[in-house]
Amino acid sequence: MSKHDTIVAADVLVTSPGRNFVTLKITTGEGLVGWGDATLNGRELAVASYLRDHVAPLLVGRDPARIEDTWQYLYRGVYWRRGPVTMTAIGAVDLALWDIKGKTTGQPVYQLLGGAVRDRVLTYTHATGWDVPQLLDSVDTQRERGFLAVRAQMGVPGLDTVYGVTREAAGYEPAGRGTAPAEEVWDTAAYLRHAPGALAAVRDHVGPDLHLLHDSHHRLTPNEAARLGRALEDVDLFWLEDVTPAENQEVLRHVRRHTTTPLAIGEVFNTVWECQSLITEQLIDYVRTCVTHAGGISSLRRIAALADVWQVRLGPHGPSDVSPVALAASLHVGLATPNFAIQEYMGYEPLVHEVFRHDWSYADGYLSTGDSPGLGVDVDEDLAARFPYERAYLPVARRRDGSMTDW
Ligand code: KDG
Ligand code: MG
């Protein structure tokens, strides 16, 4: 192999094997291929265009080994910094280049990050039930699958739909296909009346050992969040997620003053700078930034390093809307990063595992990567091509008076 390989192509695949995924494929002159995930739920084509129209032409001719320089080039060089579309595109490039570096050296990516600091990565999955008996059944199903940590979401009496919950207690897909978003009606007071009792019932049912998590999905005011955190103290949550909208981080001080329920935030953050004050002021316990949406492995490691100083740990986003390529990358970071606490794993439909063949696996509550060079994921491009993009949107939520609220 020559000393400096060169990027000869950067192609974007958009496929919808049950849901939309955007994938970046970088090819080098030596014939190596690196894969990156560029999926931004409900805004997929914006990232596809950003990559195809603006980034791919800049990558051709570059040295794939210069991962950090390429990150800086795409971040600083663009002038228009940050934002989910830009950072997801940079994240995809970063993942693909780490994949190539692994293949160049014959090493799995976690080895290039310093080697394993743990044998496997603790994971949590989702349990949902419209009413408490259904929720308990769903939690039991996940316990039977070996999960040691479960996120519990429940319906709310008086509402027809609730984010992340189906009446059949089946899995849910956050984005619905169609020409416009579904509209849901939300009532915070009804949720706050119901959620503490439902979560206490789950704790009574499972006993003290199971890690329980809950996601409020950005819908509370600071005072409502403080009250909910206090009401849940005895439930002993692993974390309470996204209590308030992500923009105004100062409000977390009020929540912190009133509860020791651990807080997790950050699935919609895109850079270390958005995490900065939450970490350095210890306003959260877990940072949820996703390897795809926060600029890739290089960027997630920077967030982890800052968080480590303040004893904040990582619990990255891992819903069905980031692809198995992203999950692989997150696990390589998880294996090699001391303050990585837990990885969300919502799981995928069987077809997704066929399109994205991967060497990571789930067993007994933990996720493990294999030892294939790079990220350990290969994409079946022929199969992917059989499932073209289908327009899909996350739902929107309105209060009972019809005004929009946070989703
Ligand atoms: O695309 C949005 C979903 O990824 C998000 O709603 C899922 O909140 C979520 C979670 O914690 O997985
Ligand atoms: Mg969430």
Side-chain angles (χ1 to χ4, degrees), residues 17 347-356 358 383:
Y348 300 102
E349 294 300 318
L351 189 54
V352 176
H353 295 285
E354 286 179 44
V355 172
F356 299 92
H358 50 80
L383 188 58

Side-chain angles (χ1 to χ4, degrees), residues 121-376:
V121 174
L122 180 67
T123 183
Y124 75 90
T125 196
H126 295 189
T128 74
W130 190 259
D131 55 27
V132 170
Q134 276 181 341
L135 178 59
L136 300 184
D137 283 351
S138 178
V139 171
D140 285 344
T141 302
Q142 303 302 19
R143 286 203 289 171
E144 281 154 23
R145 294 174 63 208
F147 282 97
L148 306 170
V150 175
R151 185 188 88 156
Q153 303 295 123
M154 70 296 293
V156 174
L159 297 184
D160 292 332
T161 49
V162 170
Y163 144 76
V165 185
T166 54
R167 285 187 182 269
E168 305 75 35
Y172 75 99
E173 173 50 61
R177 293 175 179 206
T179 51
E183 303 234 345
E184 298 181 350
V185 175
W186 176 248
D187 182 336
T188 300
Y191 163 74
L192 288 176
R193 280 195 298 273
H194 183 66
L199 289 166
V202 178
R203 176 54 79 205
D204 283 349
H205 180 73
V206 299
D209 291 342
L210 188 77
H211 296 307
L212 283 179
L213 302 84
H214 179 69
D215 190 346
S216 295
H217 226 254
H218 320 270
R219 292 184 177 193
L220 307 179
T221 64
N223 209 37
E224 289 164 348
R227 284 173 52 212
L228 180 61
R230 274 169 87 145
L232 292 173
E233 298 266 334
D234 290 344
V235 177
D236 190 23
L237 287 182
F238 185 95
W239 77 39
L240 177 60
E241 180 184 340
D242 282 340
V243 280
T244 54
E247 292 94 333
N248 186 350
Q249 304 183 352
E250 305 242 319
V251 301
L252 267 300
R253 288 207 191 94
H254 178 72
V255 185
R256 271 304 216 208
R257 266 197 294 273
H258 292 283
T259 179
T260 57
T261 292
L263 301 177
I265 291 196
E267 69 181 38
V268 299
F269 293 169
N270 310 117
T271 67
V272 65
W273 292 280
E274 283 155 286
C275 307
Q276 187 178 350
S277 60
L278 291 186
I279 290 172
T280 59
E281 296 185 33
Q282 290 175 299
L283 297 178
I284 53 173
D285 300 274
Y286 298 93
V287 59
R288 296 266 297 137
T289 38
C290 174
V291 74
T292 299
H293 305 138
I297 290 171
S298 306
S299 191
L300 193 59
R301 290 275 283 186
R302 274 195 277 280
I303 293 170
L306 177 69
D308 202 21
V309 175
W310 299 93
Q311 290 181 280
V312 172
R313 298 196 290 158
L314 259 58
H317 197 208
S320 57
D321 48 271
V322 294
S323 89
V325 180
L327 195 72
S330 207
L331 292 177
H332 283 275
V333 173
L335 266 193
T337 304
N339 60 324
F340 193 107
I342 196 165
Q343 172 63 54
E344 181 180 18
Y345 178 50
M346 198 170 149
Y348 300 102
E349 294 300 318
L351 189 54
V352 176
H353 295 285
E354 286 179 44
V355 172
F356 299 92
R357 293 188 304 263
H358 50 80
D359 75 354
W360 57 256
S361 56
Y362 165 80
D364 304 326
Y366 292 86
L367 286 160
S368 304
T369 65
D371 269 326
S372 318
L375 293 176

